Amino acid sequence: MNPSPSSLASTLDAPLSTDTRPATAPALAPATAPAPAAAFEPAKGGRFARLPLLAGRSFIPLGLFARLPLAMLTVGALTLVTAVTDSYAVGGAAAGAVGIGSALGAPVLGVLADRLGQRGVLLVSAVANTVAIVALILAAYLIPGAKDLAAAVPVLAAAFVAGASCPQVGPLARVRWMALTSRTFGPGRSAAANSADLDTALSYESTADELTFVLGPALVGILASLLAPWLPLALAAVLTLVLVPAFAVHPTHHAVVRTARRPAAAASGVAAAPAAGSADGPDGDRRRETRPAAQRARTLAAVALPVLAMVCMGTFFGSTQASLSSFSASFATSELAGLLYAVMGLSSAAAALSVAYWPRRFSVNARWIACAALMAGLAPLLLLPSTALPMILVLLVLGLPVGPLMVTVFAIGGLVAPAGKLGTVMTALASGIVAGTALGSSIAGQLAQNFGYSTAFLVPVCAATALFLLGTAAAVVLRQRGRKTAPAA
C-alpha cells in the first residue's frame, strides 16, 4: 500500500472510491520510472494476462512457491513428531504450537513490514525460520523421552518459533498488488480499470493460497511415507531459504511505501489545544477529544469483522479436515481424508479465479453475504453421505462459494485498513485462518472421537453460519460509517 501522512481520521471518514485499491495512494516518486505505454493497453490474454505486465513475469511463480513452506509446516511438524515419538498427543501439540506461533507472529511481521519495509523483514524471517525448522528436526530426533509432553518442551518450543517466524509471503504479496494497482495510471487507464486489475490479482492470490494448501499437505504425505518423515520439513527449510529472499528483493517491493512515524500527539489521537482566546472554548475541546475515540471505535469494528471472518473460515477448514478424517476411517483409512479435502480445495480455487469476471455492480458487501449464505445452506449436506462418492460431490459443490468469499474478505480488509497499516491487516487476516484452523481441528477432533463424524460436521455448519452473520454485521458497520462499498470486478 502507498500510505500518505494523512491522519487516521481522514482515512477512515473519506468516502470510498469505486475501486478496491488504497484510497490514499501518493503520486509516483520522481525516481520511479513510469510504466511503459504497453502496460496500459488491454492484454490480449484477458484480465489475468495483465498481472505479469503489472508485476513482472517472475513475481507470480515466486509468490506462488515461496508460500508453499507455510502450507507444509503444520502438517510436516505433525507427521515428523508423531512418527519419531509414536505419540499422537505430542504430534498434535507440535502442530498446535506451529499454528499458535504463526497466529501470533504473523501480525508482528506485518507491523514490522509496514514500518521497516518488506525486504528486510522477509530476509530476516527467512533465515530465522530456516534455523527454527532445522532445530525442530534435530529436537524431535535428539530429545530423549519425547513421548511425554513435559519432556517434549524443546520440540514444542522449536515448533512455536518455526510458526512465529514463518515468512508471510501471501499477505505481503497482496500488499504489493494493492500498491501496484494504485500506481499504474496512464493513457487509457481509469480508476475502474485499476479496480479490475486489483480484483483479478486478489482472485489469483486466493487461488494460489488454495492450491498451496492443497499441494503442501499432499507433498508432505508423499515424501514422509515414501522416503523419510524429516524430509518434508527439510524441503520446506530449503524452499524458504532460497525462494523467500528472491521474493523479498523482487523489484515490486519498491512499490510499497513504508509507514512514517507520526508524532506522539497525532498517534494518540488527541487534538491540539486551541490557542488562547480561541472561540472554540472547553466545549469545542471536548468535542474534538471525543471524535478520535469514536473514529478509533469504528476502525476497530471495521477491521475486526474481516479478521473474525477469517477465524471462522479457518475453523471451517480445520473442522472439515478433522471430520473428514473420521468419516474416511469409517469405511476405509483416515489418509483418504486428504484426497477428499483436496476436492473442495480445487473447486474453491477455480471459483476464486472467476471473481475477476463478476459484474461490478455486485458490491463486496453483497458478495460476502451471498457467498456466506450459500456456504451456510450447503454445509448441512456434509451430514448426509456415508460413502466416498456422495461426499466428493458434496465437497465439490461446497467449495464453490469458499474461494470467492476469501477473495471478498481480503478485499474488504484492504478497504478498511488504516493508512499505512495494510501489511498489518493482511497478515492479521492470514493469521486468523491459521488460528481458526487449529481451533476447528481441535473441536471437531474431540467431537469425532466422542460422538462420531456426523456430530463433528456440525462445526463447519456453525462456522459457515457465523460467516453469514459477520457479513451482515460488516454491511451494517460500513453503512454506519457512511462509506460506499466498492463494486467487484
Side-chain angles (χ1 to χ4, degrees), residues 15-417:
L16 289 178
S17 65
T18 58
D19 61 341
T20 53
R21 61 188 179 89
T24 58
L28 287 175
T32 305
F40 305 116
E41 297 174 359
K44 294 182 179 179
R47 293 187 178 183
F48 287 96
R50 275 198 51 79
L51 298 186
L53 298 179
L54 293 172
R57 295 186 182 278
S58 62
F59 181 71
I60 291 178
L62 272 178
L64 175 64
F65 292 106
R67 77 187 75 193
L68 188 59
L70 176 60
M72 300 171 64
L73 193 54
T74 302
V75 180
L78 173 65
T79 303
L80 169 68
V81 176
T82 301
V84 173
T85 65
D86 197 27
S87 170
Y88 289 105
V90 177
V98 171
I100 294 172
S102 180
L104 296 177
V108 175
L109 293 176
V111 171
L112 293 175
D114 283 334
R115 289 283 180 86
L116 306 176
Q118 289 192 11
R119 181 176 61 178
V121 172
L122 284 168
L123 290 174
V124 172
S125 64
V127 174
N129 188 245
T130 302
V131 173
I133 292 175
V134 172
L136 172 59
I137 296 173
L138 294 176
Y141 280 101
L142 299 179
I143 299 298
K147 291 184 178 181
D148 182 17
L149 281 174
V153 168
V155 177
L156 302 182
F160 176 84
V161 176
S165 61
C166 195
Q168 298 297 312
V169 173
L172 296 183
R174 286 180 170 89
V175 174
R176 295 190 189 187
W177 285 119
M178 291 179 180
L180 289 168
T181 54
S182 71
R183 301 173 65 145
T184 54
F185 288 108
R189 296 299 295 170
S190 63
N194 282 10
S195 173
D197 286 340
L198 179 56
D199 274 327
T200 302
L202 293 181
S203 297
Y204 160 74
E205 285 295 322
S206 292
T207 301
D209 284 341
E210 292 283 356
L211 289 176
T212 53
F213 278 98
V214 169
L215 294 176
L219 187 60
V220 169
I222 293 172
L223 293 177
S225 60
L226 296 182
L227 297 174
W230 56 267
L231 188 57
L233 286 181
L235 177 61
V238 172
L239 291 175
T240 298
L241 195 59
V242 173
L243 296 181
V244 173
F247 176 84
V249 301
H250 190 275
T252 51
H253 81 88
H254 292 295
V256 184
V257 178
R258 287 181 292 178
T259 305
R261 286 184 176 272
R262 293 182 294 166
S268 64
V270 179
S278 170
D280 287 347
D283 291 339
D285 290 345
R286 284 192 290 270
R287 282 194 298 270
R288 279 193 300 272
E289 290 173 358
T290 57
R291 196 175 301 130
Q295 291 165 349
R296 285 195 298 271
R298 289 196 297 269
T299 303
L300 180 61
V303 172
L305 285 170
V307 172
L308 288 175
M310 284 308 191
V311 174
C312 292
M313 184 67 77
T315 303
F316 178 85
F317 291 152
S319 59
T320 301
Q321 291 172 1
S323 303
L324 285 175
S325 180
S326 176
F327 169 79
S328 59
S330 67
F331 62 88
T333 62
S334 60
E335 286 77 8
L336 183 62
L339 297 176
L340 291 174
Y341 185 75
V343 173
M344 188 175 72
L346 292 175
S347 65
S348 174
L353 284 176
S354 73
V355 174
Y357 301 96
W358 288 15
R360 293 186 53 78
R361 61 181 178 274
F362 197 11
S363 71
V364 287
N365 276 349
R367 215 161 68 188
W368 182 344
I369 293 173
C371 292
L374 187 58
M375 277 183 65
L378 293 174
L381 296 178
L382 292 168
L383 302 171
L384 301 180
S386 58
T387 56
L389 182 58
M391 181 60 76
I392 289 173
L393 297 176
V394 169
L395 292 171
L396 188 65
V397 176
L398 181 57
L400 295 177
V402 173
L405 183 55
M406 288 185 64
V407 175
T408 300
V409 175
F410 271 113
I412 289 181
L415 284 173
V416 301

